[in-house]
């Protein structure tokens, strides 16, 4: 039988027995809906958790230390920093693409600013670290640069910020920077803003928690890029921590990065080296508090981690592995439940087909008597099941999509904001749709396989002449 | 000149259950262009014999040869092709598909044809056959709008579509009133006389047997008595 004729038989049969097929496909539709719903939910949650909360593209290596508890104090034993030699050793580990040292600012720092957006200036203690600009090159807004601040030389005197260009400001302060402290107070000159990066976590915590306590407006992360404020190095809200020297700078937010410090600001590494040298001498610029290790592929992370630990370093637990595991297990549980629903539906389809074939045995017998091969009968039945599968799969995915829209709508308008609240909890990509439809077709055809084989064996002599 | 045997049945045995004798050592020849009526009591094996000749039943002992084809040597697919192009079936219950029009019912065997005949050629042939059996005006109507006699005519047109050598009819008048049955018998006689169609009819109807050129009477276990009808 030609393919065209086969499809004519299939469509004719589907139209004639549409009620049976609709009833039998309810189970498949439900199962496929559950399957694609949970898959898309898992993908959406993974995107937020592993893409924003725990980005797992890199490893954070820290010195190995042992904490000994003495009353309320924990004493750290072992190294507290990584040397250049450590960096070289880690760089030599196979499959490590690049190593980026990080250095914490070891002097207190206070930030002042925010009036432009918040109505009042905030004064808060700032934690900060320095990072290799190469690690975050892709995260910096295109109109800015993330590099050690160049200094105009000879210094250009000024009276207003406009005289200092887009990336500079007119600095006139009683305490000049460490580089220029020999200059006379009152001499105003142009300086560049120090570029800083922030983590999305910071905005999430501000929008989710801090703003509520202080009745501040919610911040739009993209809008605050380019915003500047003051920092006073050596100053602290903890009085006894204040340094004898204080230095005043202006910083400018140039982007957000997954690699940036969660609760603090991230400077170009050379800037932090200069800060630390200023307070602790030249040696302070030679040791690092951690290194970020980039690996060729995600699946090499476990092996690289093991090698680095064998070298005597620790891998900082970002929580990503545990989060990833929990998501994976939860997803698997729901997918298995969905597959059980689809499987039960396939059994239901089998029963419906056995019943239909009993009803249609004269028709099938006649087709055999008129020249249909067994394979023709088998393929007509399987084709019907395949078509029911395609339609059930599409309906299941559409229902899952509609359900996700309802949930997103409820979340958007009726669920209070919380950190990392996504605009959508679901990611429906082509993979979900194709897999769901293929699964539906597969289970429908599986359910119809035995009935199709039985139909192919219908004895035309018995059903047509009663012999 | 010796007639050509279209059907040759040799030492045919068929039992449905052990010790239940249906056909036992049946030997039969049907020549080309014969109109044969097979009669006998219920259970004498008439329909079973027809099914075996038609390739609907392949579970038997002995040899059945139709148009030079030994049916027991054919694969299932070859038997399907044989049923499609060498024989036409007419059943007591017509077995028209209710969801198809009369024309579509007649065209049904062409769907299973392995040849490269054009669909329009089959359609022309089907319309011509409907005209020949006298139901041309019913071509686009559904079977449930037709009388029993008209439905059987459509079934005969369907059986003739693939221009078979052999027409096998199982009680073709069994569900019809006398007038319709007479018309159908006339149609068979006309097909046989004018087109030389070989027709084998299983029947209880004495009128059908009278119209046949040869009658085979089956007794218990397929014991045959032959009679020549005028």
């Amino acid at each position: 039988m030609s393919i065209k004729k086969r499809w004519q038989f299939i469509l004719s049969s589907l139209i004639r027995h549409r009620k049976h097929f609709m009833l039998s496909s309810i189970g498949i539709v439900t199962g496929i809906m559950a399957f694609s719903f949970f898959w898309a939910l898992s993908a959406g949650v993974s995107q937020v958790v592993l893409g924003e909360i725990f980005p797992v593209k890199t490893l954070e290596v820290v010195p190995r230390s042992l904490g000994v508890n003495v009353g309320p104090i924990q004493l750290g034993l072992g190294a507290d920093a990584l040397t250049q030699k450590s960096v070289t050793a880690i760089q030599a580990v196979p499959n490590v693409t690049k190593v980026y040292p990080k250095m914490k600012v070891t002097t207190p720092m206070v930030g002042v600013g925010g009036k432009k957006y918040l109505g009042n200036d905030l004064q808060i203690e700032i934690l900060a670290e320095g990072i290799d600009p190469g690690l975050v090159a892709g995260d910096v807004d295109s109109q800015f640069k993330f590099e050690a601040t160049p200094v105009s030389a000879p210094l250009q005197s000024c009276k207003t910020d406009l005289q200092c260009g887009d990336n500079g400001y007119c600095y006139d302060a009683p305490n000049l920077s460490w580089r220029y402290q020999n200059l006379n107070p009152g001499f105003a000159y142009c300086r560049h803003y120090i570029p800083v990066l922030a983590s999305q976590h910071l905005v999430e915590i501000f929008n989710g928690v801090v703003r509520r306590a202080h009745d501040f407006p919610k911040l739009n992360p993209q809008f605050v890029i380019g915003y500047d404020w003051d920092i006073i190095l050596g100053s602290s809200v903890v009085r006894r921590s204040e340094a004898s020297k204080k230095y005043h700078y202006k910083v400018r937010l140039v982007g957000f990065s997954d690699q940036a410090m969660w609760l603090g600001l991230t400077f170009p590494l050379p800037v932090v080296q200069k800060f630390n040298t200023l307070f602790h001498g030249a040696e302070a610029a030679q040791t690092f508090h951690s290194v970020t290790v980039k690996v060729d592929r995600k699946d090499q992370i476990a092996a690289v981690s093991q090698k680095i630990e064998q070298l005597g370093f620790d891998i900082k637990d970002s929580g990503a592995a545990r989060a990833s595991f929990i998501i994976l297990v939860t997803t698997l549980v729901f997918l298995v439940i969905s597959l059980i629903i689809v499987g039960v539906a396939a059994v239901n389809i089998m029963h419906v087909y056995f019943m239909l074939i009993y009803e249609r045995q004269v028709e099938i017998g006649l087709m055999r008597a008129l020249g249909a091969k067994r394979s023709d009968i088998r393929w007509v039945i399987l084709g019907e099941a395949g078509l029911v599968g395609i339609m059930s799969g599409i309906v299941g995915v559409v229902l899952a999509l509609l359900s996700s829209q309802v949930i997103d709508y409820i979340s958007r308008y009726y669920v209070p904001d919380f950190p990392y609240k996504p605009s959508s909890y679901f990611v429906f990509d082509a993979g979900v749709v194709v897999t769901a439809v293929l699964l539906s077709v597969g289970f429908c055809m599986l359910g119809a396989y035995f009935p199709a084989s039985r139909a192919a064996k219908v004895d035309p002599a018995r059903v047509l002449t009663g012999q | 000149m010796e007639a050509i045997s279209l059907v040759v049945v040799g030492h045919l045995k068929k039992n449905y259950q052990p010790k239940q004798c249906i056909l036992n050592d049946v030997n039969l020849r049907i020549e080309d262009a014969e109109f044969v009526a097979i009669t006998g009591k219920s259970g004498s094996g008439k329909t079973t014999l027809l099914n075996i000749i038609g390739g609907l039943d392949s579970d038997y002992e002995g040899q059945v040869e139709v148009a030079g084809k030994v049916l027991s040597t054919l694969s299932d697919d070859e038997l399907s092709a044989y049923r499609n192009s060498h024989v036409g079936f007419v059943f007591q219950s017509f077995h028209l598909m209710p969801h198809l029009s009369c024309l579509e019912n007649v065209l049904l065997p062409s769907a299973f044809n392995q040849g490269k005949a054009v669909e329009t050629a089959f359609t022309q042939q089907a319309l011509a056959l409907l005209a020949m059996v006298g139901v041309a005006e019913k071509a686009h109507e559904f079977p449930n709008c037709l009388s029993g006699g008209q439905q059987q005519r459509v079934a005969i047109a369907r059986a003739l579509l693939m221009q078979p050598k052999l027409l096998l009819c199982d009680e073709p008048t069994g569900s019809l009133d006398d007038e319709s049955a007479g018309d159908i018998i006339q149609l068979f006689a006309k097909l046989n006389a004018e087109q030389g169609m070989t027709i084998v009819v299983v029947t209880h109807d004495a009128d059908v047997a009278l119209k046949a050129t040869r009658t085979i009477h089956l007794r218990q276990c397929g014991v045959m008595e032959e009679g020549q009808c005028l």
Side-chain angles (χ1 to χ4, degrees), chain A residues 403-457:
Chain A
S403 307
S404 71
Q405 295 291 316
V406 170
I407 288 173
D408 283 343
Y409 177 84
I410 292 170
S411 168
R412 199 171 302 131
Y413 295 106
Y414 297 102
V415 176
D417 285 349
F418 54 84
Y420 301 104
K421 183 181 173 184
S423 58
S424 173
Y425 297 86
F426 304 86
V427 173
F428 281 91
D429 55 17
V432 179
V433 178
V434 171
T435 308
V437 173
L438 286 179
L439 198 69
S440 175
V441 171
F443 271 89
C444 280
M445 290 181 79
L446 189 70
Y449 179 79
F450 292 108
S453 297
R454 182 178 286 185
K457 289 176 187 165

Side-chain angles (χ1 to χ4, degrees), chain A residues 1-2 4-5 9 12 16 362-363 366-374 376 459-461 464-465 467, chain B residues 16 47-48 51 56-57 76-77 80-81 83-84 89 91 95 97 99 108-112 114 119 158 170:
Chain A
M1 189 173 8
S2 68
K4 183 184 168 192
K5 288 286 177 192
F9 275 100
S12 159
R16 274 185 294 138
V362 171
E363 175 189 333
L366 182 68
M367 288 164 72
R368 290 281 285 146
L370 297 179
K373 296 177 190 171
R374 284 187 174 164
D376 291 333
D459 179 0
L464 296 176
T465 63
Q467 295 299 302
Chain B
Y16 285 112
T47 300
T48 302
N51 287 342
L56 292 178
D57 188 344
D76 196 75
D77 283 358
S80 296
R83 288 194 296 267
N84 182 252
F89 290 98
F91 304 97
H95 292 318
M97 291 203 182
H99 59 281
L108 202 52
S110 67
F112 311 115
Q114 306 299 312
E119 202 169 312
R158 180 181 66 192
D170 185 21

Side-chain angles (χ1 to χ4, degrees), chain A residues 110-181:
Chain A
V110 165
V112 182
K115 192 170 184 177
K116 183 177 174 186
Y117 293 115
L118 307 174
N120 287 305
D121 273 337
L122 283 180
Q123 181 166 334
I124 54 170
E125 186 93 10
I126 289 180
L127 306 175
E129 69 178 7
I131 194 170
D132 188 324
L135 183 61
V136 291
D139 299 329
V140 180
D141 192 275
S142 58
Q143 57 182 318
F144 302 111
K145 287 181 178 172
F146 186 71
E147 60 188 13
T149 315
V151 177
S152 302
L155 298 175
Q156 180 191 336
S157 62
C158 59
K159 287 185 179 175
T160 66
D161 288 348
L162 289 173
Q163 294 172 301
C164 299
D166 289 341
N167 295 318
Y169 61 96
C170 191
Y171 180 71
D172 181 9
N175 291 316
L176 297 179
S177 77
W178 50 273
R179 183 181 280 270
Y180 305 108
Q181 60 186 297

